[in-house]
């Protein structure tokens, strides 16, 4: 088996919160336990969603929690040429096509019906690029390390957008190209991305790229039963080590790792050393954890 290469890939649309800490921590522990590499990729592929300073804030938060990454930080905003090459390759394979349709036009369909597959309908309008899902129709299958066997019918997935009408690269394309170029063979991330994985598997297949293994983590819910996220204003994590200690302990408990109570006030490096030694993904439950007073 090749050496473990994992990553944490936050979108810098705001500072990290407890939910993102859980994803960062689990992917870190999984990589460190396997004596693997743990990279950091800032997914700033959509600049209007990324306020200035947010990426720096994330780096400071990760440092405060002792989550030190290997190698230089990768930035999606610097990867235009790689994404363009992947799109050109898909186009040459007849697997990508320009599309002028707007959501409004196909709102009565569950997924985009592929009207532009054989030629753009309205050539004067701005166009997005989509992946053809109707060629080589085979169910998309993979085995998630926590959620088990997954199978999706390409007809349900539709023709995913690769490049948006405003010229920005779509998340699905960027993630697949980056994971492959960075040699990522283990993806550990939140279960909110489980339903994105079939498009990523499709794209890996279309581009003949190796598929990483996937472990999707239980989501952390706030008091209100909603997923913790920037949108529902989950509090930002601190960026100093003393303040990080109790939250790190909390995150380990949310990951069902049962950290000893005595470790709660310990320096983060000490907590992490314990957590790497005891990392047991088999303790995770494919249910939703509750962040309570998160
Ligand atoms: N950038 C995505 C997010 O912050 C995560 C992508 C991934 O881990 O594949 O939700």
């Amino acid at each position: 088996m090749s050496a473990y290469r994992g990553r944490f890939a936050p979108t810098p649309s705001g500072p990290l919160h407890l939910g993102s800490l859980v994803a960062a921590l689990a992917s870190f522990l999984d990589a460190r336990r396997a004596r693997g590499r743990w990279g950091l990729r800032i997914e700033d592929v959509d600049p209007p969603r990324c306020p200035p300073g947010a990426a720096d804030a994330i780096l400071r938060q990760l440092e405060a929690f002792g989550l030190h990454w290997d190698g230089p930080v990768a930035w999606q905003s610097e990867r235009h040429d790689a994404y363009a090459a992947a799109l050109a390759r898909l186009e040459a394979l007849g697997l990508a096509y320009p599309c002028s349709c707007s959501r409004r036009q196909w709102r009565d369909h569950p997924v985009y019906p592929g009207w532009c597959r054989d030629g753009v309908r309205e050539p004067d309008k701005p166009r997005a690029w989509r992946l053809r899902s109707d060629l080589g129709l085979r169910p998309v299958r993979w085995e998630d390390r926590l959620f088990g066997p997954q199978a999706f019918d390409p007809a349900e997935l539709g023709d995913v957008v690769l490049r948006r009408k405003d010229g920005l690269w779509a998340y699905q394309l960027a993630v697949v190209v980056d994971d492959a170029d960075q040699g990522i063979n283990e993806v550990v991330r939140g279960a909110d991305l489980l339903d994105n994985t079939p498009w990523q598997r499709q794209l890996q297949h279309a581009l003949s790229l190796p598929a990483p293994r996937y472990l999707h983590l239980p989501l952390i819910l706030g008091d209100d039963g909603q997923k913790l996220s920037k949108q529902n204003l989950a509090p930002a994590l601190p960026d100093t080590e003393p303040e990080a200690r109790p939250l790190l302990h909390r995150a380990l408990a949310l990951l069902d790792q049962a950290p000893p109570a005595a470790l709660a006030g310990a320096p983060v490096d000490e907590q992490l050393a314990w957590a790497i030694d005891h990392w047991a993904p088999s303790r995770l439950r494919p249910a939703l954890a509750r962040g309570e007073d998160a």
Side-chain angles (χ1 to χ4, degrees):
M1 218 192 105
S2 52
Y4 186 117
R5 290 178 75 95
R7 58 22 169 223
F8 177 53
T11 300
S13 52
L16 301 179
H17 51 76
L18 187 62
S20 27
L21 173 63
V22 164
L25 179 60
S27 65
F28 173 88
L29 295 175
D30 205 52
R32 291 290 179 253
R33 176 82 203 164
R35 300 186 192 286
R37 185 180 189 280
W38 189 65
L40 176 64
R41 181 166 78 227
I42 298 290
E43 301 212 313
D44 54 349
V45 75
D46 184 352
R49 272 185 62 208
C50 304
D56 286 342
I58 290 176
L59 304 191
R60 282 198 305 275
Q61 290 175 310
L62 290 172
E63 297 280 9
F65 281 83
L67 300 173
H68 306 300
W69 55 90
D70 298 316
V73 178
W75 300 82
Q76 286 192 329
S77 53
E78 295 171 0
R79 299 268 300 150
H80 171 86
D81 293 352
Y83 307 147
L87 179 59
R89 183 145 171 236
L90 290 168
E91 193 190 358
L93 292 165
L95 293 175
Y97 65 93
C99 169
S100 62
C101 298
S102 65
R103 182 86 201 221
R104 192 173 31 81
Q105 290 169 312
W106 54 273
R107 69 177 161 218
D108 296 333
H109 298 260
V111 295
Y112 174 63
W115 292 325
C116 289
R117 279 177 188 159
D118 298 314
V120 185
R121 274 191 151 190
E122 293 170 276
D124 301 334
K125 282 212 190 150
R127 31 181 91 174
W129 283 82
R130 291 180 180 274
L131 180 73
R132 282 192 81 135
S133 63
D134 62 328
L135 301 172
L137 285 181
R138 274 187 305 175
V140 181
R141 292 181 195 280
W142 80 96
E143 170 102 16
D144 187 84
R145 286 170 61 194
L146 182 62
F147 288 84
Q150 308 287 316
F152 288 80
D153 177 353
E156 278 168 58
L157 296 172
D159 292 358
V160 70
V161 172
L162 304 169
R163 189 173 195 177
R164 299 173 5 182
K165 281 187 185 167
D166 57 10
L168 292 178
W169 296 102
Y171 157 71
Q172 312 293 355
L173 180 76
V175 165
V176 163
V177 170
D178 286 350
D179 279 343
D181 284 356
Q182 292 156 19
I184 301 301
N185 52 18
E186 296 278 351
V187 170
V188 178
R189 61 185 181 188
D192 52 333
L193 293 161
L194 186 60
D195 61 1
N196 283 252
T197 311
W199 287 304
Q200 295 173 21
R201 297 286 295 106
Q202 257 184 333
L203 264 169
Q204 286 153 357
H205 181 70
L207 287 162
S208 308
L209 299 172
R213 288 206 303 165
Y214 290 92
L215 165 57
H216 286 90
L217 300 161
L219 291 185
I220 311 300
L221 302 183
D223 276 345
D224 52 3
Q226 296 291 308
K227 176 193 145 193
L228 284 188
S229 71
K230 287 155 223 162
Q231 288 73 26
N232 48 40
L233 301 177
L237 295 176
D239 61 1
T240 68
E241 193 274 337
E243 290 174 293
R245 296 177 185 187
L247 282 157
L248 182 60
H249 194 267
R250 219 36 221 288
L252 289 169
L254 286 168
L255 285 167
D256 292 312
Q257 301 301 299
L263 216 56
V268 294
D269 287 346
E270 204 177 303
Q271 294 194 44
L272 289 173
W274 178 90
I276 293 167
D277 268 0
H278 293 84
W279 173 240
S282 57
R283 299 181 78 127
L284 293 166
R285 288 160 302 168
L288 300 172
R290 200 161 259 278
E292 245 77 58
D293 48 334

